[in-house]
Amino acid sequence: VTQFSLLQALIQEWAPEDGRTLFLVGDPMQSIYRFRQAEVQRFLNVKKNGIGHVKPIPLTLTCNFRSSENIIHWINKTFTPVFPSIENQNLGAVSYAPAHAVLPAEGNSKIVQCGFYSSEEEAEFIASEIQKLLAQTPLPSQYSRAVAIISNILFKHSRINKSPLLKMRYNRCAN
């Protein structure tokens, strides 16, 4: 609300066709996070009606440069049915915009979807996955420090740090 009010004040004296421009960036799929005081209705209203005399030309960026094709495929398949097919400003409903991967699929990557009852259970799972990966493929020396740091964090922040499983991982990676 404060940012919107500031933008309104900044452009209130602008006249149509005076050559001034306003560049806005927003992601309606992320503005559903109400804990950040996001108001997706406001986003949709600005997209449709603009701010004052400034009318937007929406551009949807769909290329993902971070994740491989198999991960993007899973995300698209999982989230497309969760979001409504049509945006509804009154309900604050935004439709899902599928991403397109720039990076090729990786044959050795996998997606594991699971729920945990506690952060300790999650830490135990992550430590177990790291152990399995280390057993399958020797870790190049340049990565051993990163694994040691991750293992150290898991070990120190876990209330179950007396677990033999975590101690074994911590000792193996910390040396």
Side-chain angles (χ1 to χ4, degrees):
V1 175
T2 304
Q3 291 175 349
F4 184 76
S5 299
L6 175 63
L7 284 173
Q8 282 181 312
L10 288 172
I11 65 171
Q12 70 182 350
E13 300 297 321
W14 291 13
E17 310 298 327
D18 68 2
R20 294 188 235 187
T21 61
L22 178 64
F23 182 80
L24 303 171
V25 176
D27 185 346
M29 290 190 300
Q30 289 190 16
S31 63
I32 62 171
Y33 299 120
R34 307 270 322 166
F35 67 88
R36 291 186 169 176
Q37 289 76 47
E39 294 182 13
V40 72
Q41 293 92 339
R42 188 173 303 271
F43 181 94
L44 295 172
N45 183 47
V46 169
K47 181 180 172 184
K48 181 180 176 184
N49 302 314
I51 303 174
H53 295 294
V54 179
K55 304 297 180 209
I57 302 170
L59 174 65
T60 302
L61 304 177
T62 60
C63 291
N64 182 302
F65 294 90
R66 291 182 173 178
S67 302
S68 65
E69 186 178 18
N70 39 355
I71 291 173
I72 295 300
H73 174 74
W74 180 87
I75 291 170
N76 287 337
K77 187 175 95 176
T78 302
F79 286 100
T80 297
V82 175
F83 282 77
S85 57
I86 300 172
E87 290 182 347
N88 184 320
Q89 183 178 336
N90 295 329
L91 297 176
V94 296
S95 56
Y96 182 75
H100 303 283
V102 172
L103 301 175
E106 295 176 350
N108 62 348
S109 65
K110 69 177 181 175
I111 297 167
V112 178
Q113 185 177 358
C114 44
F116 302 100
Y117 291 107
S118 66
S119 56
E120 293 79 19
E121 185 182 2
E122 182 180 10
E124 190 74 28
F125 173 79
I126 293 170
S128 174
E129 289 297 303
I130 290 171
Q131 184 66 28
K132 288 176 195 172
L133 290 170
L134 289 173
Q136 292 172 5
T137 308
L139 190 65
S141 61
Q142 68 263 31
Y143 298 117
S144 60
R145 179 75 181 134
V147 170
I149 291 169
I150 292 169
S151 297
N152 191 16
I153 291 168
L154 288 172
F155 181 75
K156 287 183 177 178
H157 289 73
S158 173
R159 290 186 206 135
I160 55 170
N161 59 14
K162 304 218 182 308
S163 163
L165 184 64
L166 275 177
K167 279 188 177 179
M168 180 182 72
R169 284 181 184 78
Y170 176 73
N171 291 336
R172 177 175 178 189
C173 295
N175 294 333

